[in-house]
Amino acid sequence: MSDERLRFGAGTRAALWRELASTIEAYFEGVDRGRVTPEMNPAAVRALLDGCRFDEPHSPSEALRWLASGLAEHQTHTPHRRYFGLFNPAPTTMGVAADALVAAFNPQLAAWSHSPLAAEIERRLAREFGERFGYPRESIDGVFASGGAEANHTAVLCALTHQFPEFPSRGLRALDAQPVLYLSAGGHHSFLKAAKLCGLGAEAVREIETGADHRMSARALDAAIAGDRRAGLAPFLVIATVGATNSGAIDPLDRIATIAGRERLWFHADAAWGGAAALVPELRPLLEGIERAHSITFDAHKWLSVPMGAGLFLTREASILDRTFRTETFYMPREAKDLDVVDPHLHSMQWSRRFTGAKVFLSLLAAGWEGYADAIRHQTRMGAVLREALRAAGWRIDNDTPLPVVCFSDPSGADPHAIAMRIVASGGAWISTTRLGGRDTVLRACITNFRTDEEDVAALVGMLDEAREAQARGAAG
Ligand SMILES: *Cc1c(COP(=O)(O)O)cnc(C)c1O
């Protein structure tokens, strides 16, 4: 009976759920005491995996234990307080619970009629976040995506549909000029992928230079659009980055909105990480002008700390998702066809869909807007503490943002890459390097965990100082 191997009996399941819950709890309690980083040893990982054979089934509990202990050893622990990383969160407790619940109930969000509550929860969340960004309530539409990359790809498709109404039916070949889009040099590389995936080609992406503050230069944007028009190209989309991955910079939203309006371009704001500032009254002014964007990318799996993946595409152009994605089928459920509801598959590039909104909804329901504002405020403050501690220890701060991304370097020229590698290899923390505005490589540390505190920040600065001194000693000796 397949039941015995796929579902198991009630007693076995009850034991497995208990073990799962205690495994998760032990990880939550213990993660900070372990290493942040794994060893980079593909042979060891493969040898471990080679020990697993599908013709010798494990008991459910053995299988679970195997994976949990394997992940504990072979993972960069993004939930660790000393992961000063890319925008990967420590997951909220309610987010983890929601993801487990969703896996068990397995609602299908392609069709409204299969998951009325789930579909309405996602619609409500789109409206709530849209309002926080300043969209007028009645015109908000939105859809959850796997992440920011999918949301950005959605933005490019919507912009093409909006600017070239024949695009959805006849494709790019129906256009008489090559469409081009604009993005700051610090913008996200998912737009290059989106350009390839849409058939525009990567050369359709114009990288606009940034000023000393790493924000897009509005003057350079103006000049690039004018130049492309003279060359017979068809500008159609300008993207403002709200919290650049490398520098945290927020492009000048109002100025870009004005240019986009004058030039009649679709204006998209990529606020995958930085959009969370909308939830904190004293940070909200940083996003002034985002409400003028036709569409916004916001990732709940970044600063809202829900488990991956949870992207959100929002728009105030209420019909654009429908025009971009609607297809007619004969086999999809029809129970809700006369109701005032939307089948999510008609507004998304996904078809079968996981209930991604659940982890956002339960996290928000338990934390409230205020709980989230506190977490974001705390992380922002830890960013300032880190900046101060680095300055005090003689490091130079190379970026300028109120958000908790800190780019820095050693004024006497220590090699940033070697410093980051030494810290990562020690397992004590995770930090990285990047390049700002195509210039020299700098160290980069971001407060991505809502639990990271002063002690963790001091420990990081201690590790950096130690690594810098070791390098100086090495150079001298
Ligand atoms: C993270 C990020 C993306 C990509 O989002 P994913 O969720 O990783 O797909 C795009 N843009 C910005 C600004 C980001 O921070």
Side-chain angles (χ1 to χ4, degrees):
M1 265 218 330
S2 61
D3 229 32
E4 279 167 30
R5 286 287 174 79
L6 296 185
R7 188 174 151 98
F8 311 110
T12 305
R13 284 201 304 273
L16 185 69
W17 301 147
R18 276 195 301 275
E19 185 161 356
L20 175 64
S22 64
T23 301
I24 291 173
E25 182 51 26
Y27 183 63
F28 266 49
E29 273 297 307
V31 61
D32 297 331
R33 289 194 290 275
R35 289 173 58 95
V36 180
T37 54
E39 268 169 318
M40 294 295 114
N41 188 344
V45 179
R46 288 172 195 151
L48 178 69
L49 195 48
D50 285 344
C52 268
R53 299 171 49 94
F54 303 130
D55 48 8
E56 293 168 7
H58 289 46
S59 76
S61 132
E62 274 170 355
L64 186 74
R65 240 175 278 157
W66 185 89
L67 184 58
S69 73
L71 288 175
E73 187 164 347
H74 298 287
Q75 182 185 319
T76 295
H77 291 281
T78 53
H80 198 296
R81 282 160 48 155
R82 295 186 182 172
Y83 176 77
F84 293 93
L86 302 171
F87 305 134
N88 304 307
T92 61
T93 297
M94 291 310 280
V96 174
D99 245 6
L101 201 66
V102 165
F105 280 66
N106 203 26
Q108 165 60 290
L109 254 84
W112 188 94
S113 61
H114 267 39
S115 302
L117 179 61
E120 290 298 314
I121 284 174
E122 293 201 344
R123 204 173 85 99
R124 164 88 180 271
L125 288 169
R127 212 189 312 127
E128 295 261 4
F129 284 107
E131 284 185 304
R132 274 179 163 80
F133 288 119
Y135 278 175
R137 184 184 179 83
E138 59 287 355
S139 62
I140 300 170
D141 194 12
V143 68
F144 275 90
S146 54
E150 185 191 324
N152 285 341
H153 186 181
T154 301
V156 178
L157 288 166
C158 287
L160 284 168
T161 298
H162 187 264
Q163 301 295 103
F164 310 106
E166 66 276 39
F167 167 73
S169 51
R170 300 185 56 223
L172 289 177
R173 303 219 22 205
L175 311 183
D176 47 22
Q178 165 73 41
V180 286
L181 62 99
Y182 305 85
L183 173 71
S184 103
H188 199 269
H189 289 77
S190 53
F191 287 104
L192 283 174
K193 260 194 208 177
K196 293 195 228 187
L197 294 170
C198 293
L200 288 163
E203 286 176 15
V205 179
R206 297 277 185 270
E207 284 196 3
I208 303 301
E209 68 181 54
T210 51
D213 54 3
H214 310 295
R215 291 151 43 103
M216 185 196 285
S217 153
R219 191 159 350 121
L221 173 64
D222 255 336
I225 295 170
D228 284 336
R229 288 211 196 279
R230 278 196 302 277
L233 304 174
F236 76 104
L237 163 65
V238 56
I239 295 140
T241 305
V242 180
T245 312
N246 58 358
S247 68
I250 298 174
D251 286 336
L253 291 159
D254 261 325
R255 297 189 63 191
I256 294 173
T258 300
I259 294 171
R262 192 189 65 221
E263 298 289 331
R264 303 190 177 285
L265 311 180
W266 186 271
F267 173 30
H268 178 72
D270 180 5
W273 175 67
L279 309 192
V280 186
E282 64 272 26
L283 297 176
R284 180 64 182 78
L286 296 170
L287 306 188
E288 207 49 57
I290 198 170
E291 69 284 352
R292 298 171 69 188
H294 295 92
S295 56
I296 298 173
T297 286
F298 179 53
D299 258 354
H301 70 210
K302 299 254 173 93
W303 213 342
L304 297 193
S305 298
V306 305
M308 287 179 266
L312 184 56
F313 171 85
L314 297 166
T315 179
R316 60 173 167 75
E317 202 67 40
S319 69
I320 194 65
L321 283 168
D322 201 74
R323 282 187 278 149
T324 304
F325 293 109
R326 177 173 288 273
T327 48
E328 299 303 333
T329 63
F330 303 109
Y331 47 81
M332 290 300 281
R334 305 186 68 78
E335 300 90 290
K337 78 177 179 22
D338 297 326
L339 306 178
D340 175 25
V341 300
V342 174
D343 282 333
H345 82 95
L346 298 176
H347 282 199
S348 162
M349 60 175 94
Q350 296 184 24
W351 205 284
S352 291
R353 282 162 51 76
R354 185 180 172 86
F355 180 18
T356 297
K359 51 198 168 191
V360 184
F361 184 71
L362 285 196
S363 298
L364 193 51
L365 208 52
W369 293 119
E370 210 33 63
Y372 263 122
D374 283 347
I376 293 160
R377 201 175 274 133
H378 168 77
Q379 285 169 261
T380 305
R381 197 168 62 77
M382 285 306 111
V385 169
L386 174 59
R387 234 171 261 128
E388 265 324 294
L390 286 169
R391 275 200 195 99
W395 297 85
R396 179 180 59 224
I397 306 298
D398 296 307
N399 67 334
D400 179 17
T401 172
L403 303 180
V405 184
V406 187
C407 296
F408 58 101
S409 50
D410 173 39
S412 59
D415 173 6
H417 190 63
I419 289 177
M421 291 294 276
R422 183 181 173 95
I423 291 174
V424 168
S426 78
W430 194 89
I431 62 163
S432 58
T433 56
T434 188
R435 287 175 63 183
L436 289 174
R439 290 188 287 273
D440 293 342
T441 300
V442 295
L443 284 151
R444 176 190 180 283
C446 177
I447 312 291
T448 62
N449 187 324
F450 51 86
R451 292 167 51 252
T452 297
D453 67 11
E454 282 91 346
E455 202 181 310
D456 302 308
V457 168
L460 175 65
V461 177
M463 285 179 245
L464 286 160
D465 289 346
E466 190 275 335
R468 178 172 57 180
E469 279 157 30
Q471 209 176 92
R473 277 199 307 277

